[in-house]
Amino acid sequence: MMPLPFAEPYRIKMVEPIHRSTRPDREKWIGEARYNLFNLKSQHVYIDLLTDSGTGAMSQEQWSAMMIGDESYAGSRSFEKLRDTINELTGFPHVLPTHQGRAAENVLFSALVGEGDVIPGNAHFDTTRGHIEFRKATAVDCTVDAAGQTGLYHPFKGNVDIQKLESVINQYGVERIPLIIVTITCNSTGGQPVSMENLRAVRHCSEKYGIPLFLDAARFAENAYFIKIREEGYANRSIREIVREMFSYADGMTMSSKKDGIVNIGGFIAMNNQELYRKASAFNILFEGFLTYGGMAGRDMAALAQGLTEAMEFDYLESRVLQVEYLGTSLRDYGIPVQEPFGGHAIFVDATRFLPHVRKEEFIAQTLAVELYLEAGVRSVEIGTLLADRDPVTHANRYPKLEMVRLTIPRRVYTRNHMDYVAAALKNVYDRREQITSGYRIVWEAPIMRHFTVELEKTF
Ligand SMILES: *Cc1c(COP(=O)(O)O)cnc(C)c1O
């Protein structure tokens, strides 16, 4: 008997046309975009794997929830629905809605982080690090060393190295460490999950030193899926139970709802401590809006409450993670170096191993991302030296351990044929890799988070 392959647990009710283009068109467009893929018009992209952030497809239940959103300024019924959903899912009693994840960071850090502080974690996300450095504080990466070795199998490459964490605490002292942030899944190391055992160990450390632990929980449901599949003792636990246990080890969370909330915009903060909630509330009102909408429309909060619930359905999570895995396996079968095991939301291509002739000073991963666009109109994103930015003190380029191109899969958007197209396109680039020997230099860059707006020119 033939084993049945997995298939999406949904069918398509509305379609959005996308268009192919010619290579001369793409050469013109990417030149006009100063070789920065963020500057491309979306109609000049055929398959868009720039990000999984806010790019997912909402369900019929989410669209119908939008119709009954309550747009009241204060005391919105849609906020109550959202808060109740978050309470039930996470156990955190206090909820502040924000317009996205970085806004949640801004509000929380305004209440907690000051100049000279140190915030340890597992490869902080770029906006998280941006908000920390903007406050003249320092983010210290304590990820396990295995995360830096793309060929090595480790089931939880997002894990925090507890020894590194303790040595950071001992080096800087508890007074300078207002919180620990653990990102689930860890985006910056390749969408890699954090195990329950590791969360428990970080909790132990946070209690031992009396430092609050917050989860950057943008992909909490994908993290729970990996715990269920890979961690001993969790195979028979429901995603809901696993999610609840994950959050039980933390004092609070920040959330970009554009990921596992499966909505196009939104975020929130949730926490246990009422005093902190009150302190953060003042900043929420200042930056985001009143406490029962925080920069979101009532209809967006209604869709989010539904999306959070759908994100925890096992069949959905399985089809999502298996679609990502399908792309990864196709690339690996072509001999292309990819980060393994495959992450939850994206495949990370090891650009240094892919393009051995491009110097790191010429932005290896960016060079590869531009080549993939030129080849087939596929937009990916650089996770390398441009993203790593400059050292805030010395202003020297920071060369990260990994130069990667991320192929990020939006939720419930593309089909297996799209994945085949992307894999074939990258294979074609791989076949001509020997001819790619030079990259780009910076013409203009912003003082912080330069990758979004940087302008480049060819070095050849
Ligand atoms: C996307 C993301 C953020 C920032 O959220 P936005 O909604 O884009 O502002 C923070 N942390 C992680 C892990 C993310 O993936």
Side-chain angles (χ1 to χ4, degrees), residues 351-359 364 430 433-434 436-437:
T352 315
R353 282 162 65 201
F354 193 114
L355 292 181
H357 305 311
V358 180
R359 296 166 52 236
I364 307 166
Y430 195 57
R433 66 189 181 280
E434 293 296 328
I436 304 167
T437 54

Side-chain angles (χ1 to χ4, degrees), residues 51-53 99-105 123-128 183-188 216-219 254-259 265-267 345 406:
T51 177
D52 65 326
S53 180
H99 79 277
Q100 0 191 140
R102 69 198 67 189
E105 292 163 354
H124 306 68
F125 184 66
D126 53 355
T127 61
T128 315
T183 307
I184 53 171
T185 58
C186 186
N187 194 342
S188 311
D216 178 351
R219 297 181 184 79
T254 56
M255 177 76 188
S256 168
S257 307
K258 304 171 73 173
K259 319 307 183 5
I265 196 74
H345 67 293
R406 189 182 73 187

Side-chain angles (χ1 to χ4, degrees), residues 26 31 52 64 76 99 105 145 155 163 167 177 179 188 200 205 236 243 249 280 284 308 320 399 436 439:
R26 293 191 291 274
D52 65 326
S64 61
S76 162
H99 79 277
E105 292 163 354
D145 288 333
Q163 274 183 347
S167 71
I177 305 179
L179 77 164
S188 311
R200 228 176 274 129
C205 201
N236 296 322
V243 164
Y249 300 126
N284 217 69
L308 287 168
R320 165 147 184 80
Y399 293 102
I436 304 167

Side-chain angles (χ1 to χ4, degrees), residues 17-21 26 29 37 40-50 373 376-380 414:
I18 52 176
H19 302 286
R20 288 152 83 165
S21 53
R26 293 191 291 274
W29 295 331
L37 295 140
L40 286 171
K41 291 184 184 176
S42 67
Q43 71 259 36
H44 294 162
V45 173
Y46 179 46
I47 297 177
D48 203 346
L49 306 185
L50 182 75
Y373 174 72
V378 175
R379 174 155 65 175
S380 56
Y414 290 116

